[in-house]
Amino acid sequence: MEAQSSSDMLLSRKRRRESSTRDTEEGERLVKVPRCTVGLKHPAPFADELEPVTKKPYVRVNMEEAKRGTHPDRPVRVYADGIFDVFHSGHARALMQAKCLFPNTHLIVGVCSDDLTHTYKGFTVMNEDERYDAISHCRYVDEVVRNAPWTLTPEFLAKHRIDFVAHDDIPYSSAGSDDVYKHIKEAGMFAPTQRTEGISTSDIITRIVRDYDVYVRRNLQRGYTAKELNVSFINEKKYHLQERVDKVKRKVRDVEEKSKEFVQKVEEKSIDLIQKWEEKSREFIGNFLQMFGPEGALKHMLKEGKGRMLQAISPRQSPNSSPSREERSPSPTFRLPFFTKTSPPPSPPPHHSGARGYLVSEDDDDEDDES
């Protein structure tokens, strides 16, 4: 049951990763994986370091029994072989599929040696020890077979008690055969897996060869010598010169980006200043009109001041209870006979122009008689 749950969890995780690369359909919900610790603490052991199993005779498990589930003491032994040069995610996914073929699976992985690989396939980047070690640290592997055969024989299958062989279904032509797994398929021991598109050892090597100059300059920067990289003296100087030119280009690019950012900031600040200036100008104009406009405060102030000045200049009216002018006068006065209404008034003297009457006291009359 634990193997079944782990298998379901791994498959759901695979589906989740594959679905994340595509747009989810409407209404589709991603499968959530519960949090758990499934990592192993030790690498997978090598087959030649394990004790041989000779207690029980070797009896294969058929496909129906394997899919139905076997006893925990009798897991289904699945074998997957390969070169596994420059171990990558495509290798790991293939081994994951082989591990998840059945509820209770013991995965055995065979890795071919350098001599066999160089003879039938070509030169490798990693040597055999590095490839053995890489496979032993894969989480899906239970056992590693070093110096695995290129073509599987019945003796090899019986020695390692193999029930099924896992590989992609594409015919693998090599060693003078159209398909090295043909006899395995005919025996009903073949369990197909899916190949991961877009990633392979050949693709990775192609990337390195395509960008050879970039990686040589990278390693020269990291301290590798031209001799270690098999680079001539002239090419070494050329790569150093290219690196300096690239540094200058990067600096120029950085300066351009910074200048663009500076210009953008200045534009933003200028826009803010213009907006603030417009707001202040509108506020100033409003205040000016409020003070000096047709109905402004200044006009009301001038009107109010004018009214006060006129009120201060004009004489006050006497109260009605005050005595009349004749009653107040202590000395008798009289109007000259020629100022009567029957005779027209004489022309007034220059310094008394505009006077309608002239009042003369008794003292002034006496002075006139004496003269």
Side-chain angles (χ1 to χ4, degrees):
M1 294 298 293
E2 294 179 357
Q4 178 68 30
S5 62
S6 62
S7 175
D8 295 341
M9 182 182 66
L10 293 172
L11 288 174
S12 64
R13 185 176 299 170
K14 179 186 175 184
R15 289 193 296 270
R16 181 171 59 85
R17 283 198 298 264
E18 290 176 351
S19 62
S20 63
T21 59
R22 302 186 304 268
D23 294 332
T24 56
E25 298 180 358
E26 186 177 359
E28 182 182 357
R29 301 182 66 181
L30 296 177
V31 178
K32 298 295 184 180
V33 179
R35 296 180 181 272
C36 60
T37 303
V38 296
L40 303 178
K41 296 182 179 179
H42 304 286
F46 297 111
D48 52 3
E49 296 177 352
L50 297 174
E51 296 179 355
V53 180
T54 57
K55 295 180 181 179
K56 296 181 180 180
Y58 168 60
V59 179
R60 279 192 62 248
V61 177
N62 59 36
M63 185 65 71
E64 293 180 0
E65 293 174 347
K67 289 182 177 180
R68 190 165 53 243
T70 58
H71 193 272
D73 295 337
R74 176 57 174 95
V76 180
R77 295 174 69 84
V78 178
Y79 178 81
D81 59 356
I83 310 302
F84 302 107
D85 189 23
V86 190
F87 188 79
H88 52 75
S89 62
H91 295 144
R93 286 178 176 272
L95 298 178
M96 180 188 69
Q97 294 179 56
K99 179 70 174 179
C100 299
L101 284 172
F102 308 109
N104 185 15
T105 303
H106 182 86
L107 180 59
I108 307 168
V109 180
V111 184
C112 300
S113 63
D114 286 344
D115 294 337
L116 203 60
T117 303
H118 297 167
T119 301
Y120 291 106
K121 192 167 185 179
F123 192 74
T124 58
V125 177
M126 301 167 63
N127 59 42
E128 57 185 25
D129 293 330
E130 292 170 341
R131 293 185 284 115
Y132 298 155
D133 190 61
I135 290 298
S136 67
H137 286 84
C138 180
R139 64 188 299 178
Y140 310 112
V141 179
D142 299 307
E143 185 178 337
V144 180
V145 176
R146 293 183 285 195
N147 193 15
W150 197 261
T151 303
L152 301 178
T153 61
E155 292 78 16
F156 180 82
L157 297 175
K159 177 183 177 181
H160 294 281
R161 297 172 173 265
I162 297 171
D163 296 313
F164 295 97
V165 177
H167 200 273
D168 60 80
D169 204 11
I170 302 173
Y172 192 84
S173 59
S174 181
S177 174
D178 294 337
D179 189 2
V180 295
Y181 297 104
K182 183 178 179 181
H183 63 289
I184 301 296
K185 295 176 181 178
E186 292 175 351
M189 298 176 62
F190 189 79
T193 58
Q194 297 296 322
R195 190 179 183 88
T196 303
E197 298 296 334
I199 182 73
S200 68
T201 301
S202 299
D203 291 339
I204 295 174
I205 295 174
T206 301
R207 298 177 201 173
I208 297 173
V209 173
R210 181 186 60 200
D211 300 327
Y212 170 78
D213 292 346
V214 175
Y215 292 110
V216 170
R217 287 162 54 186
R218 170 184 178 274
N219 282 9
L220 285 173
Q221 265 190 316
R222 291 173 178 260
Y224 287 89
T225 63
K227 185 177 180 180
E228 291 174 332
L229 298 173
N230 196 22
V231 176
S232 64
F233 176 79
I234 296 175
N235 287 334
E236 180 186 7
K237 299 304 178 184
K238 181 186 74 173
Y239 292 137
H240 284 304
L241 179 60
Q242 289 177 350
E243 186 63 30
R244 293 194 189 100
V245 172
D246 288 347
K247 284 184 178 179
V248 173
K249 289 181 179 179
R250 286 194 293 270
K251 288 183 180 179
V252 172
R253 196 180 303 114
D254 293 340
V255 171
E256 289 179 353
E257 292 178 356
K258 290 181 180 179
S259 62
K260 289 180 181 178
E261 292 177 358
F262 176 75
V263 171
Q264 186 177 0
K265 290 180 180 179
V266 170
E267 289 178 354
E268 292 176 356
K269 289 185 178 180
S270 62
I271 292 172
D272 294 339
L273 290 174
I274 291 172
Q275 291 177 352
K276 291 180 180 179
W277 182 82
E278 290 179 351
E279 293 176 0
K280 293 293 182 181
S281 63
R282 285 194 291 267
E283 184 180 355
F284 175 78
I285 293 171
N287 294 335
F288 182 84
L289 293 175
Q290 187 177 2
M291 176 62 71
F292 301 102
E295 299 297 331
L298 182 63
K299 184 175 181 180
H300 293 290
M301 292 172 61
L302 292 175
K303 286 182 178 179
E304 185 178 355
K306 183 178 179 181
R308 290 180 180 177
M309 291 176 63
L310 292 174
Q311 185 178 3
I313 293 172
S314 60
R316 297 180 180 178
Q317 295 180 356
S318 299
N320 296 330
S321 61
S322 59
S324 63
R325 185 180 183 88
E326 290 78 4
E327 294 176 356
R328 283 200 311 251
S329 177
S331 58
T333 58
F334 63 92
R335 187 176 297 274
L336 293 176
F338 48 81
F339 278 93
T340 61
K341 292 182 179 180
T342 57
S343 62
S347 60
H351 57 278
H352 291 104
S353 62
R356 294 187 299 175
Y358 183 76
L359 299 177
V360 180
S361 62
E362 293 180 357
D363 296 334
D364 294 336
D365 192 15
D366 295 337
E367 289 178 1
D368 293 334
D369 293 338
E370 290 176 358
S371 60

